Amino acid sequence: MPFENTDRIQATTAGSLPRTPELIAANAARPVAADGFTLETTDEVRALTSAAVDDVVARQTALGITQPGDGEFGKAMSNSVDYGAWWGYSFQRVSGLSLTDENIFSQQPVRSTPGNIRLTSFPDRRDWTIFHDAYTDPESGIGTGTGKNATAFPTTTGPITYTGHEAAATDAANLKHAVEAAGVDNGFITALSPGSAARIANEYYATEEEHIWAWADALREEYTTVLDAGLVLQIDDPSIAENWDQINPEPSIEDYRAFTRIRVEALNHALRGLDTSRVRFHLCWGSWHGPHTTDIELRHIVDLMLDIDAGAYSFEAANARHEHEWALWQDVTLPDGKVIVPGVVSHATNVVEHPDLVTQRIERFASVVGRERVIASTDCGLGGRVHPQIAAAKLESLGEGARRASAKLF
């Protein structure tokens, strides 16, 4: 069991970490295939990625991170579909997709009605429309999270079939080598959820539900590769919480929960029969740097999150919109054998948290679920969201805060 603490508070991250300039340049130089978004792999990129994963794991370990990740370094992004490695990589590992010409910021709004919820276009998100002036002001400091070069979404135009076996195996091999070299017991690799993957246009499957379940069957192959390698699998699924903001007008809680339940069931289907004691689920409200006034409250979806067949649950708990929700766990029963992985360091601010604040945040959660059942983490990935120097300082505070909490709690 890789999660429960025995003699200290473990520390981890939520996924992406800043890439080296060399790795960024090598990825940018990769040839793009005829489909417009699949990238060719070169020996140079393979060698640079392997070395970079070794380095990033060693650096995490030196800063007190006990369950490091590969920084998502193996998840490449094309220039035309630059939504971040956490999401865009999946389009390069399945067949059945075509690149559309429609700019994501010119798509028409989609309206939902009671009992018929549909996701609207990105520019029509409720947080974005409420704060339209701020979002369209280049001096506001708001980042939309869609990627600097994002122009178009892929569209499902054929049967979704997983083709990323070699890439997934390489990711696993790189991290296995790195954690062994660093003398670490566990390392994790992120993978996309079916519900998040399916947030693209569908011109092939008869229903939205069929589309989601097709992604579930495909991504199951990636999940299996990571778990068969003896690593921890993190399922990235902001859709569970973030979809709420992308439904216009605001739906009822009951309709949204029914809409979300399909995505939970699809993920559990993808995880069936796998060793879910080594699976952790990551929920967030979207990583863009904005007001987030239309985020759904955790209390409305926490039970849905806990219905997901995982051994640990990662969620944002350090940013100013959600930090107060730690108190919810005073009333929520965490199932036996499960662990929570709250964010105690935020990706949404350049302010570096003091280690004592990190310690206090850890102690809050330990006071309600027990010291054995709290792993300290970042809210979300740091790569592309804060400067590499600031990211390193945040991880240092995270590691030191976990150490100080361990001294108090164990």
Side-chain angles (χ1 to χ4, degrees):
M1 179 68 182
F3 296 130
E4 288 193 353
N5 303 316
T6 56
D7 59 355
R8 60 181 172 177
I9 297 293
Q10 294 188 71
T12 189
T13 73
S16 69
L17 294 171
R19 301 180 180 212
T20 64
E22 295 79 12
L23 191 57
I24 292 172
N27 270 296
R30 291 172 67 174
V32 182
D35 59 18
F37 52 85
T38 303
L39 300 181
E40 304 292 341
T41 301
T42 65
D43 290 340
E44 177 190 14
V45 171
R46 289 190 188 95
L48 279 172
T49 303
S50 178
V53 172
D54 282 348
D55 178 63
V56 78
V57 168
R59 285 188 283 115
Q60 288 173 79
T61 303
L63 293 173
I65 305 303
T66 58
Q67 193 174 100
D70 65 352
E72 299 184 352
F73 287 179
K75 294 178 168 63
M77 303 162 290
S78 73
N79 290 329
S80 56
V81 187
D82 183 13
Y83 306 118
W86 76 270
W87 189 36
Y89 89 94
S90 66
F91 306 145
Q92 301 171 39
R93 296 189 183 185
V94 300
S95 63
L97 305 181
S98 300
L99 194 63
T100 64
D101 294 327
E102 186 178 17
N103 187 292
I104 65 171
F105 293 103
S106 67
Q107 293 171 332
Q108 294 302 306
V110 177
R111 288 293 170 263
S112 295
T113 56
N116 181 30
I117 290 182
R118 297 187 298 160
L119 299 179
T120 190
S121 61
F122 269 86
D124 193 46
R125 299 177 76 131
R126 287 182 283 114
D127 195 56
W128 297 21
T129 56
I130 292 170
F131 294 94
H132 175 269
D133 292 351
Y135 274 100
T136 55
D137 182 353
E139 303 299 321
S140 69
I142 290 178
T144 59
T146 55
K148 295 182 179 68
N149 303 313
T151 56
F153 286 112
T155 296
T156 299
T157 55
I160 298 291
T161 304
Y162 192 74
T163 60
H165 303 89
E166 181 179 355
T170 299
D171 286 350
N174 284 341
L175 185 57
K176 285 276 286 186
H177 180 272
V179 296
E180 289 171 2
V184 181
D185 291 334
N186 293 293
F188 77 93
I189 287 180
T190 63
L192 194 62
S193 73
S196 286
R199 292 194 298 179
I200 58 175
N202 164 42
E203 297 179 357
Y204 179 79
Y205 293 95
T207 66
E208 178 183 56
E209 188 167 354
E210 286 183 24
H211 188 211
I212 294 171
W213 282 68
W215 274 103
D217 286 333
L219 290 169
R220 173 182 170 81
E221 298 190 43
E222 184 160 285
Y223 304 164
T224 301
T225 298
V226 175
L227 292 172
D228 283 351
L231 298 166
V232 170
L233 169 68
Q234 175 176 299
I235 304 292
D236 281 343
D237 195 3
S239 73
I240 297 296
E242 186 190 355
N243 280 345
W244 173 261
D245 172 64
Q246 204 177 334
I247 298 167
N248 210 337
E250 179 180 309
S252 69
I253 295 296
E254 293 74 18
D255 278 353
Y256 185 74
R257 284 174 58 84
F259 176 83
T260 302
R261 175 67 65 183
I262 295 169
R263 287 143 179 84
V264 170
E265 291 173 352
L267 177 53
N268 282 340
H269 173 73
L271 292 169
R272 68 193 186 283
L274 302 181
D275 180 9
T276 54
S277 70
R278 288 189 290 112
V279 173
R280 69 188 204 192
F281 175 82
H282 175 65
L283 174 148
C284 76
W285 284 264
S287 60
W288 76 89
H289 294 187
H292 284 269
T293 58
T294 55
D295 286 1
I296 193 169
E297 295 180 53
L298 181 59
R299 65 188 176 93
H300 294 310
I301 56 173
V302 65
D303 61 321
L304 293 174
M305 178 181 74
L306 294 176
D307 281 345
I308 291 164
D309 194 1
Y313 303 94
S314 164
F315 52 89
E316 293 185 69
N319 78 52
R321 194 69 194 179
H322 293 283
E323 183 174 2
H324 68 284
E325 292 179 320
W326 74 269
L328 177 67
W329 294 94
Q330 294 174 327
D331 302 314
V332 172
T333 300
L334 184 63
D336 291 343
K338 308 291 186 177
V339 167
I340 58 172
V341 189
V344 292
V345 166
S346 176
H347 66 289
T349 175
N350 287 328
V351 176
V352 177
E353 292 82 353
H354 193 284
D356 283 344
L357 175 60
V358 174
T359 299
Q360 288 174 5
R361 288 170 170 169
I362 293 170
E363 288 181 302
R364 288 177 189 166
F365 285 102
S367 71
V368 290
V369 302
R371 63 183 185 178
E372 298 86 2
R373 308 176 78 185
V374 178
I375 297 177
S377 184
T378 59
D379 269 346
C380 201
L382 300 178
R385 286 134 188 176
V386 295
H387 188 276
Q389 193 173 30
I390 295 174
K394 283 178 172 286
L395 292 185
E396 184 176 14
S397 281
L398 173 59
E400 176 59 20
R403 188 194 66 77
R404 294 182 187 186
S406 297
K408 290 185 174 184
L409 296 171
F410 285 88

